[in-house]
PDB file of all heavy atoms in Angstrom:
ATOM      1  N   ILE P   2      94.499 106.164 109.501  1.00 95.00           N
ATOM      2  CA  ILE P   2      93.408 105.458 110.198  1.00 95.00           C
ATOM      3  C   ILE P   2      93.824 104.010 110.622  1.00 95.00           C
ATOM      4  O   ILE P   2      93.533 103.532 111.681  1.00 95.00           O
ATOM      5  CB  ILE P   2      92.194 105.396 109.211  1.00 95.00           C
ATOM      6  CG1 ILE P   2      91.688 106.767 108.903  1.00 95.00           C
ATOM      7  CG2 ILE P   2      91.081 104.491 109.762  1.00 95.00           C
ATOM      8  CD1 ILE P   2      90.636 106.850 107.841  1.00 95.00           C
ATOM      9  N   GLY P   3      94.570 103.385 109.694  1.00 95.00           N
ATOM     10  CA  GLY P   3      95.056 102.035 110.052  1.00 95.00           C
ATOM     11  C   GLY P   3      95.897 101.994 111.237  1.00 95.00           C
ATOM     12  O   GLY P   3      95.842 101.182 112.132  1.00 95.00           O
ATOM     13  N   ALA P   4      96.894 102.982 111.294  1.00 96.00           N
ATOM     14  CA  ALA P   4      97.725 103.089 112.424  1.00 96.00           C
ATOM     15  C   ALA P   4      96.993 103.406 113.690  1.00 96.00           C
ATOM     16  O   ALA P   4      97.331 102.858 114.796  1.00 96.00           O
ATOM     17  CB  ALA P   4      98.767 104.244 112.196  1.00 96.00           C
ATOM     18  N   GLY P   5      95.977 104.254 113.596  1.00 96.00           N
ATOM     19  CA  GLY P   5      95.188 104.506 114.847  1.00 96.00           C
ATOM     20  C   GLY P   5      94.436 103.296 115.297  1.00 96.00           C
ATOM     21  O   GLY P   5      94.360 103.085 116.541  1.00 96.00           O
ATOM     22  N   LEU P   6      93.975 102.498 114.435  1.00 96.00           N
ATOM     23  CA  LEU P   6      93.406 101.150 114.814  1.00 96.00           C
ATOM     24  C   LEU P   6      94.363 100.233 115.501  1.00 96.00           C
ATOM     25  O   LEU P   6      94.009  99.518 116.439  1.00 96.00           O
ATOM     26  CB  LEU P   6      92.764 100.464 113.600  1.00 96.00           C
ATOM     27  CG  LEU P   6      91.528 101.176 112.932  1.00 96.00           C
ATOM     28  CD1 LEU P   6      91.163 100.459 111.751  1.00 96.00           C
ATOM     29  CD2 LEU P   6      90.391 101.266 113.929  1.00 96.00           C
ATOM     30  N   VAL P   7      95.585 100.263 115.015  1.00 95.00           N
ATOM     31  CA  VAL P   7      96.639  99.408 115.708  1.00 95.00           C
ATOM     32  C   VAL P   7      96.884  99.996 117.073  1.00 95.00           C
ATOM     33  O   VAL P   7      96.934  99.162 118.064  1.00 95.00           O
ATOM     34  CB  VAL P   7      97.993  99.542 114.892  1.00 95.00           C
ATOM     35  CG1 VAL P   7      99.101  98.901 115.713  1.00 95.00           C
ATOM     36  CG2 VAL P   7      97.856  98.798 113.555  1.00 95.00           C
ATOM     37  N   GLY P   8      96.909 101.294 117.267  1.00 94.00           N
ATOM     38  CA  GLY P   8      97.029 101.828 118.611  1.00 94.00           C
ATOM     39  C   GLY P   8      95.871 101.468 119.515  1.00 94.00           C
ATOM     40  O   GLY P   8      96.086 101.282 120.615  1.00 94.00           O
ATOM     41  N   ALA P   9      94.693 101.512 118.993  1.00 95.00           N
ATOM     42  CA  ALA P   9      93.405 101.158 119.727  1.00 95.00           C
ATOM     43  C   ALA P   9      93.553  99.674 120.216  1.00 95.00           C
ATOM     44  O   ALA P   9      93.097  99.399 121.325  1.00 95.00           O
ATOM     45  CB  ALA P   9      92.208 101.354 118.881  1.00 95.00           C
ATOM     46  N   VAL P  10      93.908  98.856 119.329  1.00 94.00           N
ATOM     47  CA  VAL P  10      94.029  97.392 119.677  1.00 94.00           C
ATOM     48  C   VAL P  10      95.140  97.215 120.857  1.00 94.00           C
ATOM     49  O   VAL P  10      94.834  96.450 121.768  1.00 94.00           O
ATOM     50  CB  VAL P  10      94.463  96.575 118.514  1.00 94.00           C
ATOM     51  CG1 VAL P  10      94.924  95.097 118.840  1.00 94.00           C
ATOM     52  CG2 VAL P  10      93.361  96.527 117.510  1.00 94.00           C
ATOM     53  N   PHE P  11      96.267  97.901 120.770  1.00 93.00           N
ATOM     54  CA  PHE P  11      97.276  97.723 121.766  1.00 93.00           C
ATOM     55  C   PHE P  11      96.816  98.429 123.056  1.00 93.00           C
ATOM     56  O   PHE P  11      97.199  98.025 124.144  1.00 93.00           O
ATOM     57  CB  PHE P  11      98.663  98.340 121.262  1.00 93.00           C
ATOM     58  CG  PHE P  11      99.494  97.358 120.526  1.00 93.00           C
ATOM     59  CD1 PHE P  11      99.200  96.969 119.223  1.00 93.00           C
ATOM     60  CD2 PHE P  11     100.497  96.689 121.198  1.00 93.00           C
ATOM     61  CE1 PHE P  11      99.925  96.076 118.523  1.00 93.00           C
ATOM     62  CE2 PHE P  11     101.238  95.756 120.481  1.00 93.00           C
ATOM     63  CZ  PHE P  11     101.002  95.443 119.173  1.00 93.00           C
ATOM     64  N   TRP P  12      96.055  99.427 122.875  1.00 92.00           N
ATOM     65  CA  TRP P  12      95.550 100.100 124.115  1.00 92.00           C
ATOM     66  C   TRP P  12      94.485  99.217 124.794  1.00 92.00           C
ATOM     67  O   TRP P  12      94.585  99.065 126.078  1.00 92.00           O
ATOM     68  CB  TRP P  12      94.746 101.386 123.773  1.00 92.00           C
ATOM     69  CG  TRP P  12      93.933 102.080 124.739  1.00 92.00           C
ATOM     70  CD1 TRP P  12      94.261 102.088 126.147  1.00 92.00           C
ATOM     71  CD2 TRP P  12      92.821 102.845 124.660  1.00 92.00           C
ATOM     72  NE1 TRP P  12      93.322 102.768 126.849  1.00 92.00           N
ATOM     73  CE2 TRP P  12      92.399 103.281 125.907  1.00 92.00           C
ATOM     74  CE3 TRP P  12      91.962 103.196 123.617  1.00 92.00           C
ATOM     75  CZ2 TRP P  12      91.210 104.002 126.175  1.00 92.00           C
ATOM     76  CZ3 TRP P  12      90.787 103.953 123.758  1.00 92.00           C
ATOM     77  CH2 TRP P  12      90.437 104.378 125.073  1.00 92.00           C
ATOM     78  N   ALA P  13      93.737  98.469 124.101  1.00 90.00           N
ATOM     79  CA  ALA P  13      92.757  97.540 124.702  1.00 90.00           C
ATOM     80  C   ALA P  13      93.425  96.271 125.207  1.00 90.00           C
ATOM     81  O   ALA P  13      92.985  95.710 126.270  1.00 90.00           O
ATOM     82  CB  ALA P  13      91.696  97.170 123.671  1.00 90.00           C
ATOM     83  N   ALA P  14      94.533  95.884 124.652  1.00 88.00           N
ATOM     84  CA  ALA P  14      95.196  94.609 124.959  1.00 88.00           C
ATOM     85  C   ALA P  14      96.309  94.715 125.999  1.00 88.00           C
ATOM     86  O   ALA P  14      96.781  93.775 126.501  1.00 88.00           O
ATOM     87  CB  ALA P  14      95.624  93.881 123.755  1.00 88.00           C
ATOM     88  N   THR P  15      96.773  95.967 126.294  1.00 85.00           N
ATOM     89  CA  THR P  15      97.927  96.202 127.134  1.00 85.00           C
ATOM     90  C   THR P  15      97.519  97.236 128.133  1.00 85.00           C
ATOM     91  O   THR P  15      96.374  97.730 128.218  1.00 85.00           O
ATOM     92  CB  THR P  15      99.151  96.670 126.379  1.00 85.00           C
ATOM     93  OG1 THR P  15      98.904  97.971 125.773  1.00 85.00           O
ATOM     94  CG2 THR P  15      99.464  95.693 125.245  1.00 85.00           C
ATOM     95  N   GLU P  16      98.504  97.671 128.925  1.00 81.00           N
ATOM     96  CA  GLU P  16      98.302  98.670 129.906  1.00 81.00           C
ATOM     97  C   GLU P  16      98.604 100.099 129.366  1.00 81.00           C
ATOM     98  O   GLU P  16      98.625 101.107 130.086  1.00 81.00           O
ATOM     99  CB  GLU P  16      99.192  98.398 131.198  1.00 81.00           C
ATOM    100  CG  GLU P  16      98.849  97.108 131.811  1.00 81.00           C
ATOM    101  CD  GLU P  16      99.805  96.836 133.035  1.00 81.00           C
ATOM    102  OE1 GLU P  16     100.663  97.714 133.326  1.00 81.00           O
ATOM    103  OE2 GLU P  16      99.540  95.906 133.695  1.00 81.00           O
ATOM    104  N   ALA P  17      98.822 100.230 128.089  1.00 82.00           N
ATOM    105  CA  ALA P  17      99.050 101.452 127.448  1.00 82.00           C
ATOM    106  C   ALA P  17      97.779 102.367 127.599  1.00 82.00           C
ATOM    107  O   ALA P  17      96.719 101.840 127.621  1.00 82.00           O
ATOM    108  CB  ALA P  17      99.440 101.292 126.021  1.00 82.00           C
ATOM    109  N   GLY P  18      98.064 103.653 127.624  1.00 83.00           N
ATOM    110  CA  GLY P  18      96.962 104.650 127.796  1.00 83.00           C
ATOM    111  C   GLY P  18      96.382 105.021 126.358  1.00 83.00           C
ATOM    112  O   GLY P  18      96.920 104.604 125.306  1.00 83.00           O
ATOM    113  N   PRO P  19      95.253 105.707 126.372  1.00 88.00           N
ATOM    114  CA  PRO P  19      94.660 106.080 125.119  1.00 88.00           C
ATOM    115  C   PRO P  19      95.517 106.970 124.224  1.00 88.00           C
ATOM    116  O   PRO P  19      95.173 107.106 122.954  1.00 88.00           O
ATOM    117  CB  PRO P  19      93.337 106.749 125.493  1.00 88.00           C
ATOM    118  CG  PRO P  19      93.628 107.285 126.989  1.00 88.00           C
ATOM    119  CD  PRO P  19      94.566 106.222 127.548  1.00 88.00           C
ATOM    120  N   ILE P  20      96.540 107.609 124.778  1.00 89.00           N
ATOM    121  CA  ILE P  20      97.356 108.496 123.977  1.00 89.00           C
ATOM    122  C   ILE P  20      98.120 107.755 122.906  1.00 89.00           C
ATOM    123  O   ILE P  20      98.652 108.189 121.970  1.00 89.00           O
ATOM    124  CB  ILE P  20      98.420 109.179 124.868  1.00 89.00           C
ATOM    125  CG1 ILE P  20      99.101 110.388 124.122  1.00 89.00           C
ATOM    126  CG2 ILE P  20      99.451 108.202 125.371  1.00 89.00           C
ATOM    127  CD1 ILE P  20     100.006 111.196 124.933  1.00 89.00           C
ATOM    128  N   LEU P  21      98.059 106.312 123.096  1.00 92.00           N
ATOM    129  CA  LEU P  21      98.808 105.496 122.107  1.00 92.00           C
ATOM    130  C   LEU P  21      98.102 105.597 120.737  1.00 92.00           C
ATOM    131  O   LEU P  21      98.788 105.388 119.765  1.00 92.00           O
ATOM    132  CB  LEU P  21      98.768 104.018 122.654  1.00 92.00           C
ATOM    133  CG  LEU P  21      99.598 103.033 121.860  1.00 92.00           C
ATOM    134  CD1 LEU P  21     101.053 103.401 121.891  1.00 92.00           C
ATOM    135  CD2 LEU P  21      99.358 101.609 122.272  1.00 92.00           C
ATOM    136  N   ILE P  22      96.836 105.870 120.669  1.00 94.00           N
ATOM    137  CA  ILE P  22      96.117 106.016 119.396  1.00 94.00           C
ATOM    138  C   ILE P  22      96.702 107.234 118.615  1.00 94.00           C
ATOM    139  O   ILE P  22      97.028 107.087 117.422  1.00 94.00           O
ATOM    140  CB  ILE P  22      94.612 106.164 119.634  1.00 94.00           C
ATOM    141  CG1 ILE P  22      94.036 104.930 120.237  1.00 94.00           C
ATOM    142  CG2 ILE P  22      93.933 106.464 118.273  1.00 94.00           C
ATOM    143  CD1 ILE P  22      92.543 105.054 120.560  1.00 94.00           C
ATOM    144  N   LEU P  23      96.837 108.349 119.280  1.00 94.00           N
ATOM    145  CA  LEU P  23      97.324 109.568 118.678  1.00 94.00           C
ATOM    146  C   LEU P  23      98.829 109.388 118.334  1.00 94.00           C
ATOM    147  O   LEU P  23      99.340 109.760 117.264  1.00 94.00           O
ATOM    148  CB  LEU P  23      97.109 110.775 119.564  1.00 94.00           C
ATOM    149  CG  LEU P  23      95.693 111.240 119.806  1.00 94.00           C
ATOM    150  CD1 LEU P  23      95.608 112.441 120.749  1.00 94.00           C
ATOM    151  CD2 LEU P  23      95.054 111.610 118.463  1.00 94.00           C
ATOM    152  N   LEU P  24      99.548 108.672 119.253  1.00 94.00           N
ATOM    153  CA  LEU P  24     100.963 108.513 118.945  1.00 94.00           C
ATOM    154  C   LEU P  24     101.169 107.637 117.778  1.00 94.00           C
ATOM    155  O   LEU P  24     102.057 107.799 116.997  1.00 94.00           O
ATOM    156  CB  LEU P  24     101.625 107.864 120.190  1.00 94.00           C
ATOM    157  CG  LEU P  24     103.099 107.603 120.124  1.00 94.00           C
ATOM    158  CD1 LEU P  24     103.906 108.900 119.903  1.00 94.00           C
ATOM    159  CD2 LEU P  24     103.620 106.897 121.313  1.00 94.00           C
ATOM    160  N   SER P  25     100.333 106.602 117.707  1.00 95.00           N
ATOM    161  CA  SER P  25     100.407 105.737 116.542  1.00 95.00           C
ATOM    162  C   SER P  25     100.148 106.430 115.220  1.00 95.00           C
ATOM    163  O   SER P  25     100.890 106.264 114.215  1.00 95.00           O
ATOM    164  CB  SER P  25      99.320 104.566 116.623  1.00 95.00           C
ATOM    165  OG  SER P  25      99.657 103.772 117.781  1.00 95.00           O
ATOM    166  N   MET P  26      99.195 107.310 115.156  1.00 96.00           N
ATOM    167  CA  MET P  26      98.970 108.124 114.017  1.00 96.00           C
ATOM    168  C   MET P  26     100.117 109.045 113.671  1.00 96.00           C
ATOM    169  O   MET P  26     100.431 109.294 112.540  1.00 96.00           O
ATOM    170  CB  MET P  26      97.625 108.852 114.121  1.00 96.00           C
ATOM    171  CG  MET P  26      96.427 107.971 114.359  1.00 96.00           C
ATOM    172  SD  MET P  26      94.800 108.769 114.596  1.00 96.00           S
ATOM    173  CE  MET P  26      94.460 109.304 112.891  1.00 96.00           C
ATOM    174  N   PHE P  27     100.685 109.705 114.760  1.00 96.00           N
ATOM    175  CA  PHE P  27     101.825 110.516 114.516  1.00 96.00           C
ATOM    176  C   PHE P  27     103.032 109.715 114.003  1.00 96.00           C
ATOM    177  O   PHE P  27     103.705 110.250 113.026  1.00 96.00           O
ATOM    178  CB  PHE P  27     102.203 111.264 115.788  1.00 96.00           C
ATOM    179  CG  PHE P  27     103.368 112.180 115.662  1.00 96.00           C
ATOM    180  CD1 PHE P  27     103.193 113.439 114.990  1.00 96.00           C
ATOM    181  CD2 PHE P  27     104.633 111.952 116.144  1.00 96.00           C
ATOM    182  CE1 PHE P  27     104.190 114.320 114.819  1.00 96.00           C
ATOM    183  CE2 PHE P  27     105.604 112.825 115.926  1.00 96.00           C
ATOM    184  CZ  PHE P  27     105.489 114.029 115.330  1.00 96.00           C
ATOM    185  N   ILE P  28     103.257 108.583 114.502  1.00 96.00           N
ATOM    186  CA  ILE P  28     104.446 107.769 114.039  1.00 96.00           C
ATOM    187  C   ILE P  28     104.095 107.264 112.649  1.00 96.00           C
ATOM    188  O   ILE P  28     105.007 107.149 111.830  1.00 96.00           O
ATOM    189  CB  ILE P  28     104.598 106.468 114.975  1.00 96.00           C
ATOM    190  CG1 ILE P  28     105.095 107.003 116.379  1.00 96.00           C
ATOM    191  CG2 ILE P  28     105.471 105.557 114.337  1.00 96.00           C
ATOM    192  CD1 ILE P  28     106.437 107.755 116.296  1.00 96.00           C
ATOM    193  N   SER P  29     102.846 106.999 112.322  1.00 96.00           N
ATOM    194  CA  SER P  29     102.514 106.725 110.916  1.00 96.00           C
ATOM    195  C   SER P  29     102.842 107.792 109.975  1.00 96.00           C
ATOM    196  O   SER P  29     103.446 107.517 108.881  1.00 96.00           O
ATOM    197  CB  SER P  29     100.898 106.521 110.821  1.00 96.00           C
ATOM    198  OG  SER P  29     100.449 106.382 109.506  1.00 96.00           O
ATOM    199  N   PHE P  30     102.610 109.015 110.330  1.00 95.00           N
ATOM    200  CA  PHE P  30     102.960 110.163 109.533  1.00 95.00           C
ATOM    201  C   PHE P  30     104.466 110.241 109.424  1.00 95.00           C
ATOM    202  O   PHE P  30     105.029 110.514 108.267  1.00 95.00           O
ATOM    203  CB  PHE P  30     102.377 111.433 110.112  1.00 95.00           C
ATOM    204  CG  PHE P  30     102.852 112.693 109.396  1.00 95.00           C
ATOM    205  CD1 PHE P  30     102.324 113.049 108.212  1.00 95.00           C
ATOM    206  CD2 PHE P  30     103.702 113.590 110.046  1.00 95.00           C
ATOM    207  CE1 PHE P  30     102.743 114.195 107.527  1.00 95.00           C
ATOM    208  CE2 PHE P  30     104.113 114.683 109.358  1.00 95.00           C
ATOM    209  CZ  PHE P  30     103.646 115.078 108.127  1.00 95.00           C
ATOM    210  N   ALA P  31     105.236 110.036 110.494  1.00 96.00           N
ATOM    211  CA  ALA P  31     106.640 110.087 110.505  1.00 96.00           C
ATOM    212  C   ALA P  31     107.239 109.023 109.560  1.00 96.00           C
ATOM    213  O   ALA P  31     108.175 109.270 108.813  1.00 96.00           O
ATOM    214  CB  ALA P  31     107.270 109.889 111.899  1.00 96.00           C
ATOM    215  N   GLY P  32     106.610 107.819 109.587  1.00 95.00           N
ATOM    216  CA  GLY P  32     106.981 106.738 108.591  1.00 95.00           C
ATOM    217  C   GLY P  32     106.763 107.161 107.176  1.00 95.00           C
ATOM    218  O   GLY P  32     107.597 106.908 106.352  1.00 95.00           O
ATOM    219  N   GLN P  33     105.590 107.832 106.966  1.00 94.00           N
ATOM    220  CA  GLN P  33     105.334 108.247 105.580  1.00 94.00           C
ATOM    221  C   GLN P  33     106.395 109.327 105.164  1.00 94.00           C
ATOM    222  O   GLN P  33     106.762 109.358 103.942  1.00 94.00           O
ATOM    223  CB  GLN P  33     103.922 108.790 105.487  1.00 94.00           C
ATOM    224  CG  GLN P  33     102.838 107.760 105.674  1.00 94.00           C
ATOM    225  CD  GLN P  33     101.456 108.400 105.870  1.00 94.00           C
ATOM    226  OE1 GLN P  33     101.335 109.526 106.290  1.00 94.00           O
ATOM    227  NE2 GLN P  33     100.466 107.614 105.567  1.00 94.00           N
ATOM    228  N   MET P  34     106.798 110.140 106.067  1.00 94.00           N
ATOM    229  CA  MET P  34     107.777 111.159 105.717  1.00 94.00           C
ATOM    230  C   MET P  34     109.149 110.413 105.392  1.00 94.00           C
ATOM    231  O   MET P  34     109.933 110.997 104.604  1.00 94.00           O
ATOM    232  CB  MET P  34     107.966 112.176 106.844  1.00 94.00           C
ATOM    233  CG  MET P  34     106.764 113.073 107.073  1.00 94.00           C
ATOM    234  SD  MET P  34     106.332 114.062 105.483  1.00 94.00           S
ATOM    235  CE  MET P  34     105.042 113.008 104.728  1.00 94.00           C
ATOM    236  N   GLY P  35     109.457 109.327 106.149  1.00 94.00           N
ATOM    237  CA  GLY P  35     110.680 108.618 105.861  1.00 94.00           C
ATOM    238  C   GLY P  35     110.594 108.030 104.446  1.00 94.00           C
ATOM    239  O   GLY P  35     111.563 108.058 103.665  1.00 94.00           O
ATOM    240  N   ASP P  36     109.436 107.570 104.069  1.00 92.00           N
ATOM    241  CA  ASP P  36     109.209 107.044 102.608  1.00 92.00           C
ATOM    242  C   ASP P  36     109.325 108.256 101.678  1.00 92.00           C
ATOM    243  O   ASP P  36     109.994 108.036 100.574  1.00 92.00           O
ATOM    244  CB  ASP P  36     107.826 106.479 102.659  1.00 92.00           C
ATOM    245  CG  ASP P  36     107.603 105.646 101.356  1.00 92.00           C
ATOM    246  OD1 ASP P  36     108.520 105.601 100.510  1.00 92.00           O
ATOM    247  OD2 ASP P  36     106.438 105.152 101.144  1.00 92.00           O
ATOM    248  N   ILE P  37     108.744 109.334 101.964  1.00 92.00           N
ATOM    249  CA  ILE P  37     108.838 110.479 101.061  1.00 92.00           C
ATOM    250  C   ILE P  37     110.316 110.918 100.887  1.00 92.00           C
ATOM    251  O   ILE P  37     110.687 111.284  99.837  1.00 92.00           O
ATOM    252  CB  ILE P  37     108.021 111.624 101.582  1.00 92.00           C
ATOM    253  CG1 ILE P  37     106.540 111.386 101.473  1.00 92.00           C
ATOM    254  CG2 ILE P  37     108.340 112.975 100.935  1.00 92.00           C
ATOM    255  CD1 ILE P  37     106.010 111.448 100.092  1.00 92.00           C
ATOM    256  N   ALA P  38     111.031 110.927 102.045  1.00 93.00           N
ATOM    257  CA  ALA P  38     112.452 111.378 102.011  1.00 93.00           C
ATOM    258  C   ALA P  38     113.260 110.416 101.047  1.00 93.00           C
ATOM    259  O   ALA P  38     114.060 110.941 100.243  1.00 93.00           O
ATOM    260  CB  ALA P  38     113.047 111.358 103.382  1.00 93.00           C
ATOM    261  N   GLU P  39     112.992 109.159 101.162  1.00 92.00           N
ATOM    262  CA  GLU P  39     113.833 108.222 100.320  1.00 92.00           C
ATOM    263  C   GLU P  39     113.292 108.406  98.803  1.00 92.00           C
ATOM    264  O   GLU P  39     114.148 108.302  97.867  1.00 92.00           O
ATOM    265  CB  GLU P  39     113.622 106.829 100.724  1.00 92.00           C
ATOM    266  CG  GLU P  39     114.760 105.889 100.276  1.00 92.00           C
ATOM    267  CD  GLU P  39     114.214 104.699  99.431  1.00 92.00           C
ATOM    268  OE1 GLU P  39     112.954 104.574  99.318  1.00 92.00           O
ATOM    269  OE2 GLU P  39     114.978 103.993  98.959  1.00 92.00           O
TER     270      GLU P  39
END
């Protein structure tokens, strides 16, 4: 949820599209998996 909010802020403040919200949440999950791997 926090990552999605970051994506929403950057979507509103930049020329990025709304897909940035979903991408942010997916990257959040990838980061969590990096943490899990370590």
Side-chain angles (χ1 to χ4, degrees):
I2 295 172
L6 292 175
V7 171
V10 169
F11 273 78
W12 171 31
T15 68
E16 297 180 357
I20 195 175
L21 190 63
I22 297 175
L23 293 178
L24 181 60
S25 297
M26 298 178 76
F27 182 74
I28 292 299
S29 170
F30 175 72
Q33 291 169 338
M34 290 301 98
D36 190 2
I37 289 288
E39 201 238 356

